[in-house]
Amino acid sequence: MSLVSSLLTRGRRNVHLALCVVLAVLLIAGTFNLHNRVSQAIVSATYQPFFLIKTSVSELVRSVDERDELRQALVDASVRLSMLEEAARESERLRSVLGFEPAVGFQIVPARVVAVYGYELPVSAVINCGENDSVAVDQPIINRDGLVGRVVSVTPGFATIQLLTDPQNRVAARIDESREMGIVRYQTGEGMVLDNFPVQGNIKIGDGILSSGLGGVYPAGLRVGTVEGVERPEKQPFCRVTLNPAVNFHNIEELFVLRSVKP
Amino acid sequence: MIRLIPYILYLLLLVMHRVIFKDLTSIAGVSISLSVLLVVLVAIYKTEITALWFGFFVGLVLGAGTPEQVGWYALTLTLIGIISYQMRERLNLDSLKARLLMVAGACLLFNLGSLLILRTDAFWYRSVTVALPGTIYTMIPAWLFFLFKEGKITKENFRSIF
């Protein structure tokens, strides 16, 4: 019985094996172009979807890489653009400074602001010139618009300057037209004011204010500001004069130290 | 028909490996012979006729890219399926080493057969540089599979590594 069962099993196996071998031989021989048809059918049924998946994933990965590269390039371009814009602005400023004439008896030392201090308004700044450039305490600082402040401390490579916006700073000044004098200072909450100007004095809105040269720190003739408002209170000896500073203290960058030239 | 679903999935796994994972998993041009591994595993755990036909269809899928060789691949893998089954009947495969040796033998046989089918130049050189390393590489997933099958690798073991 087991022999019969074994023979039947083997016979069944042999039939299947023979069928497989015959099909394989037909494929090898290429009968009826069978090998091409079978290959095409299998490729389109099984390989094709995976090829599509692989291609899609590759494209997705490439797109992500490309996006990152483009984003990086955009950032680089933005940085370069802002640097170029900054360079253009600087060039414009320096061009306007080219014809700058120092006050008589003074030499100018160009300097660049490296730090600014102050809460709402800058009151002091650090410039990149110091003792090595013959910068000393009390030397006036100007820019192309007018008087900026004075040097208060010096190190070999840097100097700290007190700006006109510091309430402790005072400038002896005079009216450009009438040559009458007063003292310019900065008052917190009110801005730049001209003190000690008599109510009888000749002053009007728009008058230019220049340094008078008195006091020994600032030379005469440096532009400080223009008159913005004048009040003449009754029974008071002095006017209340507010000024519009000649210098915009929020954007000071290129400055000049005025160094006196000894004869 | 439902009984065929696992084998269809094995074939799709094979195609997926060939299209997507083969490049990723190959080392210096040596890749895993997943086709032989699948045929041997079916021969070890299923019937002779199943192993025979599975080998045949794996051969068709494997050789589909090269129609001239598709018949040779089908024939080779059919024979590997049947030989693996006969070995299983005649040998004691309780030992992991025995099963791995059987996988290695079948894999080496197939790799050498592939070199002959493809009529590769420098047969001996490529036997040493491709066929033999490919056999060793294929034993790694086979070894992991048998460990998993015997319950020596479990989810808990795997988690404990991390």
Side-chain angles (χ1 to χ4, degrees):
Chain A
M1 191 66 188
S2 67
L3 181 68
V4 173
S5 166
S6 171
L7 280 172
L8 278 175
T9 310
R10 278 190 193 172
R12 202 162 148 244
R13 190 273 314 269
N14 288 342
V15 169
H16 284 278
L17 180 60
L19 194 56
C20 281
V21 170
V22 167
L23 284 171
V25 168
L26 286 175
L27 287 166
I28 292 165
T31 318
F32 309 122
N33 204 18
L34 194 62
H35 59 306
N36 279 326
R37 289 180 186 172
V38 168
S39 295
Q40 277 177 8
I42 291 171
V43 166
S44 58
T46 57
Y47 283 83
Q48 211 74 37
F50 290 103
F51 282 137
L52 283 175
I53 291 170
K54 191 183 181 184
T55 311
S56 306
V57 170
S58 303
E59 279 178 8
L60 186 67
V61 169
R62 201 168 52 241
S63 304
V64 169
D65 289 347
E66 208 167 297
R67 185 201 63 188
D68 290 345
E69 281 172 18
L70 288 173
R71 198 172 279 174
Q72 184 65 42
L74 182 65
V75 171
D76 287 349
S78 301
V79 170
R80 286 169 64 85
L81 180 65
S82 41
M83 284 169 72
L84 286 172
E85 282 174 352
E86 181 58 25
R89 280 196 293 268
E90 186 181 23
S91 167
E92 189 64 33
R93 281 197 305 273
L94 292 174
R95 197 170 290 147
S96 70
V97 161
L98 273 177
F100 193 83
E101 289 292 329
V104 178
F106 285 89
Q107 211 174 37
I108 58 169
V109 179
R112 182 174 282 276
V113 174
V114 292
V116 171
Y117 304 105
Y119 179 58
E120 288 178 339
L121 195 66
V123 292
S124 70
V126 177
I127 55 172
N128 64 348
C129 289
E131 282 169 358
N132 297 342
D133 306 288
S134 302
V135 173
V137 171
D138 277 344
Q139 285 179 341
I141 307 290
I142 58 171
N143 72 358
R144 65 195 163 107
D145 296 322
L147 184 61
V148 174
R150 67 185 181 105
V151 176
V152 288
S153 67
V154 190
T155 62
F158 299 95
T160 305
I161 57 174
Q162 183 187 41
L163 304 176
L164 292 191
T165 47
D166 186 339
Q168 306 299 318
N169 206 345
R170 301 281 190 279
V171 182
R174 69 167 81 239
I175 311 293
D176 192 10
E177 301 288 317
S178 66
R179 315 304 292 170
E180 288 174 277
M181 294 190 291
I183 292 172
V184 173
R185 67 180 174 87
Y186 191 87
Q187 191 169 320
T188 310
E190 283 190 40
M192 195 172 273
V193 294
L194 181 70
D195 277 349
N196 295 359
F197 194 83
V199 286
Q200 305 88 344
N202 183 10
I203 189 169
K204 61 182 185 299
I205 292 170
D207 280 350
I209 306 292
L210 307 174
S211 57
S212 66
L214 304 175
V217 175
Y218 302 108
L222 299 176
R223 183 167 292 282
V224 177
T226 51
V227 176
E228 196 178 45
V230 181
E231 286 178 35
R232 298 173 195 272
E234 287 180 15
K235 296 176 185 174
Q236 293 283 332
F238 299 116
C239 290
R240 187 180 168 79
V241 181
T242 52
L243 304 178
N244 185 21
V247 173
N248 181 357
F249 291 95
H250 287 287
N251 68 356
I252 48 172
E253 284 177 280
E254 290 92 19
L255 302 177
F256 302 97
V257 182
L258 283 184
R259 201 172 60 191
S260 62
V261 181
K262 290 175 183 168
Chain B
M1 189 66 188
I2 291 170
R3 281 167 50 200
L4 293 178
I5 289 174
Y7 302 105
I8 293 168
L9 291 177
Y10 297 153
L11 291 176
L12 288 178
L13 176 71
L14 175 67
V15 175
M16 192 164 70
H17 172 256
R18 279 178 64 79
V19 175
I20 298 171
F21 298 118
K22 192 177 176 183
D23 292 342
L24 300 173
T25 54
S26 65
I27 301 167
V30 176
S31 55
I32 296 167
S33 301
L34 188 66
S35 49
V36 188
L37 183 60
L38 286 172
V39 171
V40 173
L41 291 177
V42 167
I44 290 175
Y45 294 107
K46 302 293 173 183
T47 64
E48 186 176 24
I49 292 171
T50 307
L52 189 152
W53 280 109
F54 185 71
F56 180 79
F57 282 107
V58 167
L60 289 185
V61 169
L62 196 64
T66 48
E68 293 76 24
Q69 277 108 37
V70 68
W72 286 111
Y73 277 116
L75 188 61
T76 310
L77 283 163
T78 304
L79 293 176
I80 283 175
I82 226 163
I83 292 167
S84 299
Y85 180 84
Q86 293 300 323
M87 297 274 277
R88 166 196 142 182
E89 289 293 292
R90 285 162 176 76
L91 297 175
N92 180 3
L93 291 180
D94 288 343
S95 153
L96 177 65
K97 282 178 190 169
R99 272 174 282 170
L100 281 177
L101 273 175
M102 195 171 110
V103 171
C107 193
L108 188 62
L109 189 68
F110 174 76
N111 286 346
L112 293 174
S114 293
L115 292 177
L116 288 173
I117 292 168
L118 294 168
R119 296 183 186 115
T120 316
D121 294 336
F123 174 82
W124 294 110
Y125 173 75
R126 292 187 69 81
S127 300
V128 175
T129 56
V130 179
L132 199 60
T135 303
I136 294 164
Y137 193 15
T138 307
M139 284 171 75
I140 296 170
W143 175 60
L144 291 173
F145 175 82
F146 289 131
L147 287 180
F148 185 77
K149 189 83 177 167
E150 287 176 2
K152 288 181 180 169
I153 293 179
T154 59
K155 278 183 184 175
E156 285 71 29
N157 288 347
F158 191 71
R159 275 186 201 150
S160 67
I161 296 171
F162 303 100

